[in-house]
Amino acid sequence: MSSAARPRPSPSELTRPFWDAAASGRLVRPLCSSCGSSFFAPQICCPRCLSEDWDWAESSGLGSIYSYTVCHRAPEPGFELPYVLAVIDLDEGWSMLSNVVGCDPETVRIGMTVAVAWQRLDAELVLPVFEPVGGDRP
Ligand code: ZN
């Protein structure tokens, strides 16, 4: 597999702080200053209270698998198959779509505890992915 062929995100003014933090190994998410909600993906207004007053806050990178699928066909060239696409519930009350790595895809389960890991694609781009850390959550 050539990681160079994998489709790349295109950071915008809104999402660049997320990618810059990822490049230095920090997972961040928007945190609303008005209602205290964390949300993802970044957007102009808080989806809960519609306030535009939010800022980036660091995440522990700890969470659990809310849902997942094992992909056996790549949407485009550049993906190593099979891979796990999952919705991760982070401990701060937000969720993101990511990949689960570092385990046999057949062992992935809903509720599995995971922690962020970092997958460097090239000199500039680092993707947040998740690895099992052992144990399930209720
Ligand atoms: Zn809010």
Side-chain angles (χ1 to χ4, degrees), residues 5-128:
R6 184 170 171 160
R8 299 168 54 92
S10 303
S12 66
E13 185 180 338
L14 190 63
T15 63
R16 183 165 300 283
F18 175 83
W19 294 111
D20 287 349
S24 62
R26 293 180 306 114
L27 185 66
V28 296
R29 87 290 187 183
L31 176 62
C32 179
S33 303
S34 293
C35 75
S37 293
S38 294
F39 57 94
F40 198 82
Q43 49 194 294
I44 300 295
C45 298
C46 167
R48 183 168 177 216
C49 75
L50 302 181
S51 170
E52 295 181 24
D53 184 18
W54 62 263
D55 208 346
W56 295 96
E58 196 149 342
S59 167
S60 66
L62 295 173
S64 59
I65 295 174
Y66 174 79
S67 185
Y68 73 98
T69 188
V70 180
C71 300
H72 294 273
R73 294 185 94 172
E76 297 186 41
F79 288 87
E80 202 170 335
L81 296 170
Y83 66 91
V84 179
L85 185 64
V87 178
I88 309 296
D89 276 344
L90 279 302
D91 283 0
E92 298 89 7
W94 59 292
S95 58
M96 70 179 295
L97 194 62
S98 184
N99 297 126
V100 177
V101 302
C103 64
D104 180 344
E106 298 305 318
T107 65
V108 172
R109 295 290 177 264
I110 288 172
M112 182 180 267
T113 303
V114 291
V116 73
W118 301 99
Q119 191 173 69
R120 178 171 288 282
L121 291 193
D122 57 37
E124 296 167 7
L125 188 61
V126 179
L127 297 178

